[in-house]
Amino acid sequence: MSETSKRLLFQVAFVAVAVLLIEGSLRIAGYKPGDMKPKWLNFAPVDTLRLVNNFKINSDGLLVGDSLVHAYHGTHVNEGGFRSPDLATLDTTKKKIMLIGDSFTWGMSAKPVENNCFADLLRNETNYEVINMGVPAADPVQYAIIAKKYIPQVKPDYVLLIFFMGNDLMHEDRPNVPGEPFCYFTNAGTILADIDGRHFKTAEAAYNYIVNEKYYLRHPKNIVERIVAHSSILSRIYSVNFRLKEKLEYDRLIKNTAVTKKYLAQVKRVCIDNNVPFKIVLIPEIKEAAMPLHEYCKKYNNLLRDYSLERDWLIFENTKANFLDYPDAHLNNQGHRFYADSIKAFLKNAPELK
């Protein structure tokens, strides 16, 4: 065998071994053949889909915690379904700070949550009564409903809406239907009822759309997809096209945030009508946590520099070290400490609380 043939054979063997190693590494990392989901999506196919009953939709259309289920796991959830003291037990001699938000405000991924969530740190380290009305998977529609129901009832001294840029930007409006879920908590992950302009009335229907049509090549449509469906490497490469489409859709979204602003404005209006000062505390995605503020505000100019909300935002200098990596991407304990300290410093100098 000639030297040229030997070198060629070695190169082919080297590439083959490298491909096999990469294929194996991807599979070990959880990327199975046909898997095209983005790394931020906390979802995994299951053999048997089951609903997780930690949360439910109440008669107001609010997603709230089930107090009995959470009590079983040692977490106090009040009569309204929030991880907060019972409203009847609030100390009326203290200033009341109401927090409205989603899983970040609830304290998801803080360990243990009762000691390290920024809402609990605020409550435990200040003389404020902190009413935590954050619920995982909540959106600006829910924020507006909470504001309309609870601000006149609780009469807080300050309202802070905790806005996560990762999923609080609304692609489209949704109706509030009491008793009908706008998301499903399952053993595969949390699944929205509205995906790509389609509404799914059951968790099974939404799950089937994700695994059979959206993120997995379980039903290849052509010869290319049939080949791709057998390789983790090819599936990752093939998914790039979908990521580019998602990026283009996101770029269009951040230039038109009308739906999101509609509900933030409703929260602000309730606060104005009840003479309650109001601010929106922004939490960025981990991938943009270290972006200089002037660049960040320029990118999200349509939302952050809107004339009706421009003065309402609280945006703190951040760092990626405050977050857990994808697919969790929530605040870690350091991040909860960062927001607790930042909010405490702001409230200390707020003239409305003097």
Side-chain angles (χ1 to χ4, degrees), residues 223-337:
I223 184 63
V224 172
E225 290 192 351
R226 283 199 291 272
I227 295 172
V228 169
H230 288 86
S231 167
S232 295
I233 295 176
L234 294 179
S235 296
R236 289 289 91 200
I237 295 172
Y238 194 62
S239 71
V240 171
N241 180 52
F242 297 93
R243 302 292 85 80
L244 290 174
K245 289 180 180 178
E246 289 168 359
K247 184 181 185 306
L248 291 174
E249 291 173 0
Y250 187 75
D251 289 343
R252 287 193 291 269
L253 170 63
I254 64 177
K255 292 177 182 177
N256 182 8
T257 58
V259 177
T260 303
K261 288 185 289 192
K262 168 185 171 181
Y263 290 103
L264 295 182
Q266 288 183 15
V267 177
K268 181 175 180 177
R269 171 47 56 189
V270 174
C271 289
I272 291 173
D273 290 345
N274 287 272
N275 298 312
V276 180
F278 164 73
K279 289 291 182 182
I280 309 170
V281 179
L282 188 145
I283 299 181
E285 280 194 88
I286 180 175
K287 64 183 180 182
E288 297 179 332
M291 184 182 291
L293 290 186
H294 70 281
E295 292 182 16
Y296 193 89
C297 291
K298 181 179 180 180
K299 177 175 181 177
Y300 295 102
N301 177 71
N302 187 267
L303 177 67
L304 303 181
R305 293 296 178 255
D306 183 85
Y307 73 95
S308 65
L309 297 168
E310 183 174 4
R311 297 183 180 181
D312 300 313
W313 292 94
L314 286 180
I315 310 175
F316 305 116
E317 292 279 0
N318 218 313
T319 172
K320 292 182 178 181
N322 286 332
F323 296 81
L324 296 166
D325 201 1
Y326 293 109
D328 186 304
H330 285 95
L331 297 173
N332 55 27
N333 283 2
Q334 174 180 313
H336 279 280
R337 167 52 63 187

Side-chain angles (χ1 to χ4, degrees), residues 71-217:
Y72 178 80
H73 294 288
T75 299
H76 174 72
V77 170
N78 70 12
E79 72 281 9
F82 302 103
R83 204 180 63 76
S84 187
D86 297 333
L87 298 183
T89 68
L90 295 177
D91 188 339
T92 57
T93 67
K94 295 182 177 181
K95 298 284 188 180
K96 297 188 291 293
I97 310 298
M98 179 182 288
L99 305 179
I100 301 174
D102 62 6
S103 54
F104 284 80
T105 311
W106 172 277
M108 192 72 72
S109 300
K111 304 294 183 184
V113 62
E114 291 84 359
N115 295 333
N116 288 296
C117 170
F118 66 83
D120 297 84
L121 293 172
L122 281 173
R123 182 183 301 113
N124 297 335
E125 297 176 1
T126 68
N127 197 39
Y128 300 126
E129 274 285 19
V130 177
I131 302 101
N132 181 353
M133 293 193 163
V135 177
D139 63 1
V141 177
Q142 167 130 342
Y143 304 160
I145 300 170
I146 287 174
K148 293 170 185 176
K149 177 174 182 177
Y150 286 103
I151 289 176
Q153 176 182 338
V154 175
K155 296 180 173 56
D157 295 281
Y158 221 109
V159 169
L160 297 176
L161 191 157
I162 315 300
F163 188 95
F164 175 51
M165 194 65 81
N167 58 21
D168 274 341
L169 285 172
M170 297 186 66
H171 292 265
E172 56 191 359
D173 211 337
R174 71 168 179 86
N176 173 54
V177 183
E180 183 173 318
F182 61 86
C183 70
Y184 305 103
F185 291 87
T186 77
N187 58 328
T190 302
I191 308 172
L192 293 176
D194 293 279
I195 310 172
D196 297 337
R198 298 170 60 176
H199 179 73
F200 298 94
K201 287 187 172 293
T202 66
E204 290 79 8
Y207 173 86
N208 288 333
Y209 174 70
I210 289 175
V211 299
N212 293 323
E213 298 183 50
K214 187 170 178 64
Y215 288 130
Y216 298 88
L217 288 175

